[in-house]
Amino acid sequence: MSMVGSLRKVARLARRGRPVDLSHPARSPLGSTVVNCVIYRDGVRQEAAPSVEESVARVRKRGDGFVWLGLHEPTEAEFVRVAALFGLHPLAVEDAVHAHQRPKVQQYGDILFAVFKSVAYIEHEELTATSEVVDTGEIMVFAGPDFVVTVRHGHHGSLGALREGLEAVPRQLAKGPAVVLHAIADHVVDDYLTVTDAVQDDIDQVETDVFSPQGSPSADAGRIYQLKRELLELKRAVVPLGRPLQVLATQSMRSVDREIQAYFRDVADHLARVIEQITDFDALLDSILQAHLAQVTVGQNEDMRKITAWAAIIAVPTMVCGVYGMNFDHMPELHWRFGYLFALAVIATACLVIHRGFKRNGWL
């Protein structure tokens, strides 16, 4: 298997129906800031050290392997010790603690700092005008010569399964922190593909409702607009990652070996597909919304035509009754024996003729 295939395979193991091993050492409660701290040497997981400091000391004493420290929503006070231990730049530390950053890649000496927006699809039985469709989070990665620090924000995007997948392929993990960085980028972009496929199902359902011959009562502008807003949130997470991936794929960096760097192009290609899909979805939703508004306008015009037609029919008896309802003594046919029946016949005939004319023209 090629290196690209191996790297992509380990990033997708969790999405191929593989059961999650909750007893695996890579798992720990999300409530803990330190999710895991593991030493890898030649791609093989080593015996756990009693502390993060001890793990780093062991790696640096031997001069081979690296430490992978995983954190979940650390506070500023909690991250200070980590920043001092690994020599992280203050600006990157501030971004990692406070989150809400755009996807980016920055080089600080020998340390590479990358920000990825993670996304998850929120399952729902039926799309409504208030449904949440996309949830976003963040994954920050510090990649140095002998360490990887991942900081995750949000309640999804766990890297436990990814870590297990990498451990299952020691030959790839032995290549160092750059492989972890690539696997995380690939993992994030694969999630984009999963979410866009799910969003497409929602768009297909909305499109079906709007263009249903009978006119579905659930086809309303609120649902379309809400889906468009959720798509915008997805777009804000996905589109800005294009430039950072190009940097990782093309620019020379100390933390990323050229052999690994070339495979970031594969991730960038998949991201380009996602961006293209989102752009198409946005245009399609615009068309669906315009079509729905046009249908509403046509329906309103149809109602007004019917109202106008019935008003014209009712005008005939109104006119006749209005004329003969006047209190004048000298009016024709007032004392005729068949005048009442004749008036009713004239009214009925006139209304029937007008009604058939409107019916033939499609007004009724």
Side-chain angles (χ1 to χ4, degrees):
M1 181 183 295
S2 67
M3 184 176 182
V4 176
S6 299
L7 291 175
R8 293 191 61 80
K9 177 182 177 182
V10 300
R12 288 189 180 131
L13 287 177
R15 281 181 288 279
R16 291 188 176 178
R18 182 174 176 268
V20 177
D21 180 12
L22 296 178
S23 65
H24 191 279
R27 307 289 181 187
S28 68
L30 292 180
S32 173
T33 296
V34 178
V35 176
N36 218 315
C37 181
V38 181
I39 299 174
Y40 294 100
R41 186 170 295 117
D42 296 326
V44 179
R45 185 189 187 99
Q46 303 298 303
E47 181 181 352
S51 66
V52 177
E53 289 83 359
E54 178 64 25
S55 298
V56 175
R58 289 184 183 181
V59 168
R60 291 179 176 172
K61 181 178 180 179
R62 290 194 48 154
D64 63 346
F66 67 94
V67 176
W68 183 352
L69 173 63
L71 304 174
H72 179 255
E73 296 185 352
T75 64
E76 187 171 357
E78 292 170 331
F79 203 64
V80 167
R81 181 168 62 96
V82 175
L85 179 63
F86 293 104
L88 307 181
H89 196 279
L91 292 177
V93 170
E94 182 179 0
D95 290 344
V97 171
H98 298 291
H100 304 297
Q101 304 296 316
R102 285 171 58 87
K104 60 183 177 181
V105 171
Q106 295 175 333
Q107 184 82 43
Y108 297 100
D110 291 336
I111 301 174
L112 183 67
F113 176 60
V115 178
F116 302 99
K117 282 281 190 180
S118 59
V119 299
Y121 179 77
I122 302 177
E123 296 291 344
H124 46 268
E125 293 184 1
E126 182 180 359
L127 180 67
T128 67
T130 58
S131 295
E132 290 189 22
V133 178
V134 177
D135 186 27
T136 60
E138 293 181 36
I139 300 176
M140 285 85 164
V141 183
F142 295 88
D146 54 11
F147 68 87
V148 176
V149 178
T150 55
V151 182
R152 189 167 58 84
H153 291 266
H155 300 291
H156 65 271
S158 173
L159 300 177
L162 175 66
R163 186 191 290 264
E164 294 173 24
L166 284 169
E167 290 177 358
V169 191
R171 181 172 59 86
Q172 303 300 338
L173 191 56
K175 297 182 183 297
V179 170
V180 177
L181 179 62
H182 171 272
I184 292 174
D186 196 42
H187 170 82
V188 168
V189 173
D190 279 350
D191 281 346
Y192 293 166
L193 289 167
T194 302
V195 172
T196 52
D197 289 343
V199 170
Q200 184 172 8
D201 292 337
D202 285 332
I203 295 177
D204 291 342
Q205 183 59 53
V206 168
E207 186 177 23
T208 300
D209 292 341
V210 168
F211 293 101
S212 174
Q214 293 78 19
S216 173
S218 60
D220 62 88
R223 295 172 67 227
I224 302 173
Y225 185 70
Q226 177 65 14
L227 189 55
K228 191 170 176 62
R229 285 179 60 88
E230 293 296 306
L231 186 65
L232 177 61
E233 184 174 358
L234 178 61
K235 186 176 182 179
R236 288 172 177 169
V238 173
V239 174
L241 184 58
R243 177 58 183 167
L245 283 181
Q246 288 298 322
V247 171
L248 289 171
T250 59
Q251 294 187 12
S252 177
M253 293 186 172
R254 300 178 186 178
S255 303
V256 182
D257 186 86
R258 287 188 177 275
E259 182 183 2
I260 304 298
Q261 187 179 43
Y263 300 106
F264 279 102
R265 298 192 192 98
D266 182 61
V267 182
D269 289 341
H270 286 82
L271 180 69
R273 173 192 163 190
V274 176
I275 294 174
E276 183 179 347
Q277 279 185 299
I278 292 175
T279 302
D280 292 341
F281 290 167
D282 196 28
L284 180 58
L285 281 175
D286 283 338
S287 300
I288 294 174
L289 182 58
Q290 293 299 321
H292 175 69
L293 295 178
Q295 287 179 336
V296 171
T297 301
V298 170
Q300 291 174 341
N301 291 338
E302 184 71 20
D303 292 339
M304 288 302 300
R305 286 199 305 176
K306 291 181 179 180
I307 293 172
T308 303
W310 283 111
I313 293 173
I314 295 173
V316 174
T318 302
M319 180 184 67
V320 175
C321 294
V323 170
Y324 279 89
M326 297 179 185
N327 295 321
F328 293 109
D329 290 332
H330 303 287
M331 292 184 67
E333 313 304 341
L334 283 178
H335 302 288
W336 184 33
R337 181 183 297 273
F338 302 103
Y340 176 70
L341 295 177
F342 179 75
L344 290 181
V346 169
I347 290 174
T349 302
C351 290
L352 180 60
V353 171
I354 296 174
H355 181 274
R356 292 186 64 181
F358 286 152
K359 193 77 172 179
R360 186 167 51 250
N361 293 327
W363 283 43
L364 291 174

